[in-house]
Amino acid sequence: MMLSMPRMLLIGACLGTLALAAPAQAQPSSNSDVSFDAGALLLKKPKPGLPDVRAQPLAWPRLDPGAVLCRTEADLERLAARRGGEAVDGPIDCRIIGTPTAISIVQRSGPGKVEVKISGANADSSSGWTDAWLPDKAPPGATSASR
């Protein structure tokens, strides 16, 4: 099968055009810092606005705002009795936690009584009792309070 000369020139011209056009279509990935617009090498400008900032992992274990910390186990029991509507004699030495507070668990005395020690505080006033739910496993993204 013989091709005529004009046909061979036409096929050659088409193949040549395709060969030249293929590299021009290659674009850098969208996450590249370089742009090849109009044949010139330009640097992309950063997106306007604030940069993304990752949140710091929260300490674990911890007492969250609203948790109760009582000085003694007896104070925690009197608080539970008062919450249950019973008459209680004497003051109850408890406080409500206002900010996330890193702790270490000293001992568990049933599901609603946990003795804790506040991390980084003075030894004389840093331990107490809470009825806060403190699971054995930390939630995802939490770090040890001992760091």
Side-chain angles (χ1 to χ4, degrees):
M1 172 171 170
M2 282 297 242
L3 293 176
S4 66
M5 184 59 92
R7 261 193 186 163
M8 286 176 38
L9 287 176
L10 182 62
I11 291 173
C14 288
L15 290 175
T17 303
L18 288 175
L20 290 176
Q25 291 178 355
Q27 295 290 328
S29 64
S30 62
N31 62 355
S32 172
D33 289 338
V34 178
S35 173
F36 294 100
D37 293 334
L41 182 64
L42 302 173
L43 294 177
K44 285 186 180 178
K45 293 181 182 177
K47 292 188 293 185
L50 298 174
D52 293 335
V53 178
R54 293 181 139 209
Q56 291 293 325
L58 296 173
W60 185 261
R62 70 177 180 272
L63 292 177
D64 289 324
V68 173
L69 182 65
C70 298
R71 191 175 58 80
T72 65
E73 184 177 10
D75 286 327
L76 184 62
E77 289 171 355
R78 285 197 303 271
L79 178 65
R82 179 178 284 165
R83 286 178 174 171
E86 297 177 28
V88 178
D89 293 333
I92 301 173
D93 191 4
C94 297
R95 64 183 174 109
I96 296 176
I97 301 296
T99 59
T101 304
I103 60 166
S104 58
I105 297 173
V106 177
Q107 71 172 341
R108 294 178 187 267
S109 179
K113 294 182 196 173
V114 181
E115 184 178 9
V116 298
K117 181 173 174 80
I118 296 175
S119 299
N122 296 336
D124 58 330
S125 64
S126 65
S127 63
W129 288 80
T130 186
D131 59 357
W133 181 68
L134 298 169
D136 292 328
K137 289 181 127 182
T143 62
S144 172
S146 62
R147 283 188 181 178

